[in-house]
Amino acid sequence: MRIDALQYANWSEKIFNQLREGGVDAIHVTIAYHENFRECVLNFEQWNRWFEQYPRLIRKGLWASDIDEAKASKRTAVFFGFQNNSPIEEDIGLVEVVHTLGARFMQLSYNNQSLLATGCYEENDPGITRMGRQVIREMNRVGLVIDMSHSADRSTIEAADLSQRPIAVTHANPHEWAPALRNKRDNVIRAVVENGGMFGFSLYPHHLKDKSACTLESFCGMVARTVEKYGIKHFGIGTDLCQDQPDSIVEWMRTGRWSKQIDYGEGSKSSPGFPDMPEWFRDNRDFGNIEAGLLATGMSQDEVAAVMGGNWYRFFAENFTPQEK
Amino acid sequence: MRIDALQYANWSEKIFNQLREGGVDAIHVTIAYHENFRECVLNFEQWNRWFEQYPRLIRKGLWASDIDEAKASKRTAVFFGFQNNSPIEEDIGLVEVVHTLGARFMQLSYNNQSLLATGCYEENDPGITRMGRQVIREMNRVGLVIDMSHSADRSTIEAADLSQRPIAVTHANPHEWAPALRNKRDNVIRAVVENGGMFGFSLYPHHLKDKSACTLESFCGMVARTVEKYGIKHFGIGTDLCQDQPDSIVEWMRTGRWSKQIDYGEGSKSSPGFPDMPEWFRDNRDFGNIEAGLLATGMSQDEVAAVMGGNWYRFFAENFTPQEK
């Protein structure tokens, strides 16, 4: 089973076919960065159209059982998530509404301070806000997973502590392997793991050692060491694949409508666009390379299967349904 | 089994308890008259709160099977509908979105001309619009029932003809019994019935012969004659009960935000508010009176059971799920 816990592609029939070529049974796709509720609903609508247009390639993903059904019918189950809390605006009632519509992950902040938590690019991190505490409880209740990929350290550790259910960092790598601002230090990874949560290894070049030049051996070695250190069951893949997107999209991701100035985020003035993917992971067709690379490190078949999808499957099964009373 | 296919009460724990007292297994409640999409979502949110607050009295209704579950646990299943198409704005993609959120009925127009069809108070009825034809097809596809209670005759007959699935008039009475503008003439009832649709008898005094003074015998006699004339399987109850609402609400229903002048609708300047209910149907506690009154007409046990809920149950079971391909 292969599950990718983060993609934000410029979706097309070509990419849906590549998902099948790569044997990807489920993906978690981003449908909001800075969209408000109504704009985010337009993105749900767009996916409804794609499900109608490509019923032999993709299907809506709401529950883990939808992955089994997708696998059996040789399709990919598509689960939805937000990289920011903008879709719920200032209205806690929208947490259940977006879950009903199909959202399964929501980041509490995206780079900046939000109404709920602090983002990883802020200078100061005062931790989870008053509204943030309420929203964490509500997300736990309905089965909307807290994702802290772009949040600051203190906020992430507090979220893991406050949440009664496991949280996730869907896409990042250990900071000690590649010291990017978005990668996570030991205390953050530990907080996620101790809360029972999941961590998805990113293939986004800005999160890789040597960026686009990162080798498969280096990446897989890092995975092997990390699962050895923190425990196999807390790790999966979250490629952060942004395939076929024009550079205007990375500008939207970074700057939204919150600034009139360009913010280069993980890029720079000389390299403002999307970086090239490493040659061993061009797109969804190359999950087999990662699987082979992990086996080559000496990890067992079972361990590799857990990282390639088994762990996310279990996490989806346990965390998307409403909390038992 | 008792099902009421139209209520718009000022909901409270008191009314939820009265539903139980009256043995009501399911109700279809109006959650939009003139609300746009975002405002209508606030009404879904309010119901989510009530489901959370009163789990022993009510539960969300999405499918006919939810009625079985409600009956077994001595609760009332609450199904949602709109009396107007305002919640889908000018966006056909919202048809599937509101169905996902739980909407199961939508009127194509409410008294006035809409983007889709003509309302019963308009002087001219040009029939189903261009967008109306598209929306009917989409409603058929997802399982959102077309309700023509407040639509004009030509639009209603065309909707019945265009729709590939049965339509409904959830709340009205035969015009020949009580010649109110909202009551339906023979050709309209026949169009609904021939399309396989359902018609719900209204208890709203403006739809009754002699209004608030209407007798139980007169009402039940009309029901018995109507089912005899058109066929038993097409009829149920749709009380249009607007319990505990202040008169400001009937003004909202009639005038929304489309006029700065008062429109008295079915009322009048001397009697602008909600009329008194007939003494034999005060509220949800009195469904037993109707059942007894129907039996007293000589209708069989099976016929009475069909009208009190069996027919709506079958209709819900057949028409709320997506269309088979």
Side-chain angles (χ1 to χ4, degrees), chain B residues 115-144:
Chain B
L115 297 174
L116 313 178
T118 307
C120 61
Y121 280 68
E122 291 285 0
E123 204 168 326
N124 303 299
D125 178 5
I128 301 297
T129 66
R130 278 159 53 86
M131 183 177 175
R133 286 166 186 264
Q134 299 295 324
V135 169
I136 285 172
R137 195 186 305 169
E138 181 72 353
M139 290 173 75
N140 284 169
R141 187 181 73 84
V142 305
L144 182 60

Side-chain angles (χ1 to χ4, degrees), chain A residues 112-134:
Chain A
N112 290 2
Q113 178 67 42
S114 79
L115 296 174
L116 312 178
T118 306
C120 62
Y121 280 67
E122 291 285 359
E123 204 167 325
N124 302 300
D125 177 4
I128 301 298
T129 66
R130 278 158 54 85
M131 183 178 175
R133 287 166 185 263
Q134 299 295 325

Side-chain angles (χ1 to χ4, degrees), chain B residues 22-54:
Chain B
V24 182
D25 301 301
I27 48 175
H28 159 218
V29 305
T30 293
I31 61 165
Y33 278 97
H34 305 286
E35 284 87 344
N36 69 13
F37 175 69
R38 183 66 182 91
E39 293 166 331
C40 176
V41 167
L42 290 174
N43 296 338
F44 279 110
E45 294 179 32
Q46 174 62 72
W47 275 102
N48 283 339
R49 294 293 306 280
W50 284 324
F51 293 131
E52 210 183 331
Q53 288 170 333
Y54 306 108

Side-chain angles (χ1 to χ4, degrees), chain A residues 168-180:
Chain A
V169 167
T170 55
H171 57 304
N173 289 319
H175 190 272
E176 66 173 19
W177 176 64

